[in-house]
Amino acid sequence: MSNRELIVLGSASQVPTRHRNHNAYFLRWDEEGILFDPGEGTQRQMTHAGLSARQVTRICITHFHGDHALGLPGIIQRLSLDSAPHPVEIYYPASGQAFYERLRHATVFMDKATIVPRPIAKDGVLAETKGFKLSAARLEHSVDTFGFRLEEHARVQLIPARLAEHGLSGPRVGELQRRGMVEVGGHIVRLEEVGEKREGQSFAFIMDTRPCANAGRLAEGVDLLVCESTYLDSEREEAHGHFHMTARQAAELAHAAKAQRLVLTHFSQRYEDTAPFVQEAQALVQDVVAVRDLDHVEVPKRARAE
């Protein structure tokens, strides 16, 4: 099982259908579990997916339309019920503070979990850990909406042939990684001499928006792009009027950004078959997945240097 994967808990726009739940997406990223846009029914979908509330470390809300946030009260209350041992940060548009408060305290419950509100007022970095940076940028929707980008820090990847050239092996390699340099035979060997800078993996979540510059910035070079594709391109005019995208526009975004794998989701209830979405997108992007509820989509791995 991959340590970095997207688990789709819901893939319908506006209303759930017989086959698709309201939006909800869980990103497993090493020790982090980031829940995006928990719509109605998310708690039950997590049970079907074998996920527990205790695995959630952060929650990201793009905007406060119901299909992207009505599952938040249940998740928050479940965090308390299951005695989540860690703080859970919730990121959401600052202009929706009143909606956040209503959802946060929707009913009476034993409020024991540590919930940390992180309202977003402007584009920029939301959180930075030793392993990654989480940022947000405003999108173009009918209400304040933010997309998200998670980016692993760049690191130096050691090249085995170069290590051998300098006589480095075993514990000395670990020392080099810790200190950035090590003495070998009276000479100093620096980390950059035996390795190459390697950009980390990245992920973008772009939901409920028209095509816009910030969507491109969030998607730039990502390994996995989750993008709304509410309509087929025959409804491009309707998509524009409703502040949404078509599968073709999602593919145009992914192609321009050089995203590696495109996940199409947030389908209008008028469509039962998503094969045309894939066909439309694959005219521009080879690696396309039109997801179903409970699908697992791996974050593509990058080739290692020899």
Side-chain angles (χ1 to χ4, degrees), residues 203-260:
F203 165 89
F205 187 83
I206 296 172
M207 202 62 56
D208 281 40
T209 183
R210 290 170 175 167
C212 61
N214 271 351
R217 294 186 185 102
L218 290 168
E220 186 64 35
V222 296
D223 298 283
L224 186 64
L225 169 60
V226 177
C227 189
E228 74 126 290
S229 56
T230 310
Y231 300 96
L232 289 171
D233 213 50
S234 54
E235 280 71 57
R236 184 175 283 225
E237 186 174 337
E238 182 177 348
H240 182 81
H242 292 160
F243 294 89
H244 284 295
M245 279 199 271
T246 69
R248 172 79 184 191
Q249 288 174 318
E252 289 169 350
L253 168 64
H255 178 73
K258 295 182 172 59
Q260 186 172 347

Side-chain angles (χ1 to χ4, degrees), residues 15-87:
V15 297
T17 72
R18 286 178 298 170
H19 305 293
R20 295 185 184 276
N21 200 65
H22 261 170
N23 273 284
Y25 310 85
F26 182 86
L27 179 65
R28 191 197 311 275
W29 191 279
D30 301 335
E31 302 305 316
E32 294 270 351
I34 306 176
L35 181 62
F36 292 87
D37 280 6
E40 183 182 352
T42 295
Q43 188 177 177
R44 188 165 186 267
Q45 291 293 93
M46 288 179 66
T47 299
H48 283 306
L51 296 171
S52 73
R54 291 167 65 98
Q55 291 174 268
V56 176
T57 57
R58 303 173 196 270
I59 301 174
C60 295
I61 307 291
T62 58
H63 64 296
F64 281 106
H65 278 153
D67 55 329
H68 297 261
L70 282 175
L72 185 60
I75 295 299
I76 288 175
Q77 293 184 27
R78 188 60 179 270
L79 288 166
S80 282
L81 181 65
D82 291 357
S83 301
H86 49 262

Side-chain angles (χ1 to χ4, degrees), residues 37 54 58 117 120 123 132 134 152-153 162 165 178 188 209 219 237 294 301:
D37 280 6
R54 291 167 65 98
R58 303 173 196 270
I120 310 167
D123 299 357
F132 66 81
L134 178 67
E152 182 183 23
H153 297 314
R162 295 186 191 174
E165 286 175 11
R178 290 191 301 273
I188 297 297
T209 183
E237 186 174 337
L294 305 181
K301 290 181 171 60

Side-chain angles (χ1 to χ4, degrees), residues 4-205:
R4 294 182 181 178
E5 64 175 352
L6 178 78
I7 301 174
V8 180
L9 303 174
S11 54
S13 70
Q14 195 172 46
V15 297
T17 72
R18 286 178 298 170
H19 305 293
R20 295 185 184 276
N21 200 65
H22 261 170
N23 273 284
Y25 310 85
F26 182 86
L27 179 65
R28 191 197 311 275
W29 191 279
D30 301 335
E31 302 305 316
E32 294 270 351
I34 306 176
L35 181 62
F36 292 87
D37 280 6
E40 183 182 352
T42 295
Q43 188 177 177
R44 188 165 186 267
Q45 291 293 93
M46 288 179 66
T47 299
H48 283 306
L51 296 171
S52 73
R54 291 167 65 98
Q55 291 174 268
V56 176
T57 57
R58 303 173 196 270
I59 301 174
C60 295
I61 307 291
T62 58
H63 64 296
F64 281 106
H65 278 153
D67 55 329
H68 297 261
L70 282 175
L72 185 60
I75 295 299
I76 288 175
Q77 293 184 27
R78 188 60 179 270
L79 288 166
S80 282
L81 181 65
D82 291 357
S83 301
H86 49 262
V88 175
E89 298 190 344
I90 304 182
Y91 308 94
Y92 57 89
S95 60
Q97 185 66 33
F99 301 114
Y100 169 78
E101 294 295 343
R102 292 169 194 165
L103 294 167
R104 171 71 177 86
H105 302 287
T107 65
V108 176
F109 69 105
M110 188 73 73
D111 195 354
K112 298 188 298 182
T114 303
I115 305 297
V116 184
R118 300 292 191 199
I120 310 167
K122 60 182 180 180
D123 299 357
V125 176
L126 304 175
E128 191 157 4
T129 72
K130 288 169 49 177
F132 66 81
K133 177 174 64 177
L134 178 67
S135 56
R138 190 180 300 274
L139 298 175
E140 189 176 328
H141 195 43
S142 56
V143 298
D144 273 359
T145 302
F146 285 86
F148 298 93
R149 178 184 176 101
L150 187 148
E151 192 170 355
E152 182 183 23
H153 297 314
R155 64 188 188 277
V156 174
Q157 181 181 328
L158 299 177
I159 311 300
R162 295 186 191 174
L163 289 171
E165 286 175 11
H166 288 85
L168 282 167
S169 62
R172 301 306 302 279
V173 175
E175 182 182 352
L176 173 65
Q177 291 176 308
R178 290 191 301 273
R179 298 179 53 209
M181 64 178 69
V182 68
E183 185 178 338
V184 181
H187 298 282
I188 297 297
V189 179
R190 300 185 183 279
L191 189 61
E192 55 269 24
E193 294 179 61
V194 294
E196 292 180 351
K197 183 179 178 182
R198 185 184 185 213
E199 296 298 328
Q201 286 181 304
S202 53
F203 165 89
F205 187 83

